Amino acid sequence: ELRTRLAERGRVRIALTRDGDHTLTLDDRASIARRLGADLFLSIHADSAANPEATGATAYSLSEVASDKDAARFASAQNGSEGAITSVADGSVRALLADLAVRDEMNASADFAMRVIGKASGRVELRPEPHRFAAFRVLRGAEAPAVLFEAGYLSNAEDEARRLDPAHRRRLVEALADAVEAELAVRSARR
């Protein structure tokens, strides 16, 4: 639905890592973004939690230090056996430049996450403190400002009902489309 809406608006070029119900590894997803030279990477999911009261959308950005224990656990679960991608600190100029590039991506990703939250606020239900961060492998591997967006909890009956409601999904899609277009416009203006 987001791809369709962005295509209708005609302001951005869109590529999906998949358009069917099949699994790609984290590295495969990030590789597609790198191969295409993506300016942004948005990974959209539906969350679940042992606590059926957990509710609201969350935007995660890349950071070497997690915002909280839940974010650290979530990143670890998302990364699975593949683990997080880490920089090699060998003291070389190349390693230093790579580290600086990652720091720039982290800052840009945090900005993108805050833009997503700002556009979603008042349109969709957000989790308390909706911007979280941790060392997500898929976000690091994209080599572009990247956000992992959890649209709510399927383990919460109300969140699940909202995901199934076309009017609510339209509000969510509009918020994400506005955030993507605004982020790309800001990035383009800085160039």
Side-chain angles (χ1 to χ4, degrees):
E1 290 175 44
L2 177 58
R3 174 189 58 183
T4 299
R5 185 64 183 124
L6 286 168
E8 288 170 355
R9 291 179 174 192
R11 296 182 191 114
V12 300
R13 186 180 65 131
I14 310 111
L16 298 178
T17 58
R18 58 192 168 156
D19 60 3
D21 189 15
H22 58 277
T23 302
L24 291 176
T25 68
L26 299 175
D27 289 337
D28 289 342
R29 296 172 200 195
S31 174
I32 291 168
R34 286 192 314 272
R35 188 179 74 242
L36 295 174
D39 290 322
L40 290 177
F41 181 83
L42 179 60
S43 185
I44 304 171
H45 302 264
D47 211 344
S48 69
N51 175 4
E53 300 300 314
T55 185
T58 311
Y60 291 92
S61 61
L62 178 65
S63 176
E64 295 302 329
V65 177
S67 57
D68 54 70
K69 290 178 185 176
D70 287 340
R73 274 193 297 273
F74 183 52
S76 180
Q78 286 285 313
N79 294 341
S81 63
E82 297 175 61
I85 297 175
T86 57
S87 300
V88 177
D90 65 5
S92 70
V93 171
R94 183 175 175 201
L96 178 62
L97 291 174
D99 186 55
L100 289 173
V102 169
R103 288 183 194 281
D104 283 346
E105 284 175 25
M106 284 186 211
N107 291 334
S109 295
D111 290 347
F112 181 29
M114 292 307 297
R115 191 169 317 281
V116 167
I117 302 253
K119 297 295 184 181
S121 182
R123 291 174 159 173
V124 298
E125 296 69 24
L126 296 172
R127 181 177 174 173
E129 298 184 34
H131 178 211
R132 310 269 171 126
F133 42 89
F136 289 93
R137 182 181 186 92
V138 70
L139 299 181
R140 165 67 71 76
E143 295 182 3
V147 167
L148 190 155
F149 184 77
E150 291 287 347
Y153 290 84
L154 294 179
S155 52
N156 178 288
E158 291 174 6
D159 268 6
E160 182 181 23
R162 284 189 280 267
R163 297 296 85 71
L164 296 172
D165 176 28
H168 188 275
R169 279 198 320 275
R170 270 192 301 280
R171 288 193 302 275
L172 177 61
V173 165
E174 288 298 320
L176 292 174
D178 289 350
V180 166
E181 289 176 345
E183 185 66 25
L184 289 172
V186 166
R187 292 177 52 74
S188 178
R190 289 180 185 156
R191 290 183 186 159

